[in-house]
Amino acid sequence: MAEQNCLVTNDWICGEYLRSRSQELTDATLQHIGITVVSVLIGLAVAFPLALLARRGRRFAGPVLGLTTVLYTVPSLAMFSLLLPLFGLSAALVVTGLVLYSLTILVRNILAGLEAVPEEARDAARGMGYGPGRLLWEVELPLALPAVMAGLRIATVSTVALTTVGSLVGKGGLGNLIEDALPSFFKAQVLAASVLCVLLAMAADLLLLGLQRLLTPWTRIPGTSRTAGTAGGRRTDPDGPDGPDEPAGLPAPAKVEAG
């Protein structure tokens, strides 16, 4: 009886709300996931060529990084208002805004990953007859994956949060439930939608972390981190503890920027 009355008393935790509104919660969650996935995939497809363009030199890197940073600073309400004449009140409006927001994170991390590839690896690949395209896809991109995946994780979690802003045009997934509940301060709905949004972000991050570990098995090899830590510095000659020092073979990896 107490659980049935929790809707009347407007409690924060209400099992009756979860049972009676389960379909509404499911539909909102699926819409939230769909908008997030589409936005991140399109953002990744746009960010990759932009990062390749920025890598060509400072004359390209400055405008590309500057533009993506400026886009990220635009408030979401202003961004959606600027895009409204082009897309109307549609899901495309929300997806386009989220794509633009994801670029500053994805472009910077892809660029950082590619620049961290050891020059020795590139030289060895060129010596084996690798052309620019094959060098990129078979040597540079695999070695840049840890940085790329780190940026993808940050962009995905950020997009999960920003998708709720799409409730301004009725396309915000779980954000729609939160906005609908605020005027009447429907506590159970606000809490349930907020918790689901947090759980989605955590699940997406863990899923991408597992994918990263699957795609980069060499990062889990014992001694890899120690070798990377000595990169760019000096190491002791293996002939003896008092032997002469010599430069390490690999340069230090570039720091991954989170945007």
Side-chain angles (χ1 to χ4, degrees):
M1 188 68 178
E3 287 190 3
Q4 295 178 356
N5 292 333
C6 65
L7 290 175
V8 178
T9 57
N10 195 21
D11 295 335
W12 283 105
I13 300 176
C14 182
E16 182 61 25
Y17 168 78
L18 297 178
R19 285 190 292 270
S20 61
R21 305 289 183 90
S22 59
Q23 188 58 50
E24 185 178 11
L25 288 169
T26 301
D27 293 342
T29 302
L30 291 177
Q31 184 187 60
H32 204 110
I33 294 174
I35 292 176
T36 298
V37 171
V38 171
S39 301
V40 172
L41 290 179
I42 296 177
L44 188 61
V46 174
F48 188 71
L50 288 178
L52 294 181
L53 178 63
R55 193 174 63 149
R56 288 181 170 271
R58 291 187 176 180
R59 60 173 179 168
F60 297 109
V64 169
L65 297 179
L67 176 61
T68 55
T69 301
V70 168
L71 289 174
Y72 195 78
T73 63
V74 177
S76 56
L77 182 59
M79 177 71 77
F80 289 162
S81 299
L82 292 173
L83 296 174
L84 186 60
L86 297 176
F87 300 99
L89 297 176
S90 64
L93 169 67
V94 180
V95 169
T96 303
L98 296 176
V99 168
L100 295 177
Y101 281 133
S102 69
L103 291 181
T104 184
I105 299 172
L106 293 173
V107 170
R108 288 176 180 273
N109 278 71
I110 294 173
L111 182 60
L114 292 174
E115 290 182 342
V117 175
E119 191 61 37
E120 293 87 344
R122 294 192 181 97
D123 292 339
R126 294 189 188 100
M128 296 173 63
Y130 281 44
R134 190 180 177 190
L135 175 65
L136 173 65
W137 290 104
E138 297 186 18
V139 177
E140 294 181 317
L141 191 56
L143 292 176
L145 268 180
V148 175
M149 291 301 298
L152 186 60
R153 289 171 58 194
I154 297 172
T156 300
V157 172
S158 175
T159 302
V160 169
L162 288 171
T163 298
T164 58
V165 184
S167 61
L168 294 171
V169 295
K171 301 294 181 180
L174 294 168
N176 293 338
L177 298 182
I178 297 175
E179 185 179 37
D180 292 343
L182 287 178
S184 61
F185 197 46
F186 190 178
K187 296 178 182 179
Q189 183 162 307
V190 171
L191 180 63
S194 301
V195 170
L196 283 174
C197 189
V198 173
L199 291 177
L200 275 182
M202 294 175 61
D205 187 56
L206 291 175
L207 182 63
L208 290 174
L209 178 60
L211 180 61
Q212 178 181 342
R213 291 175 62 85
L214 182 65
L215 295 177
T216 58
W218 63 86
T219 60
R220 304 194 303 274
I221 299 176
T224 301
S225 59
R226 181 177 57 187
T227 302
T230 60
R234 304 180 67 84
R235 59 180 174 85
T236 302
D237 190 280
D239 292 337
D242 298 325
D245 288 346
E246 60 183 35
L250 298 178
K255 178 181 179 181
V256 178
E257 297 187 23

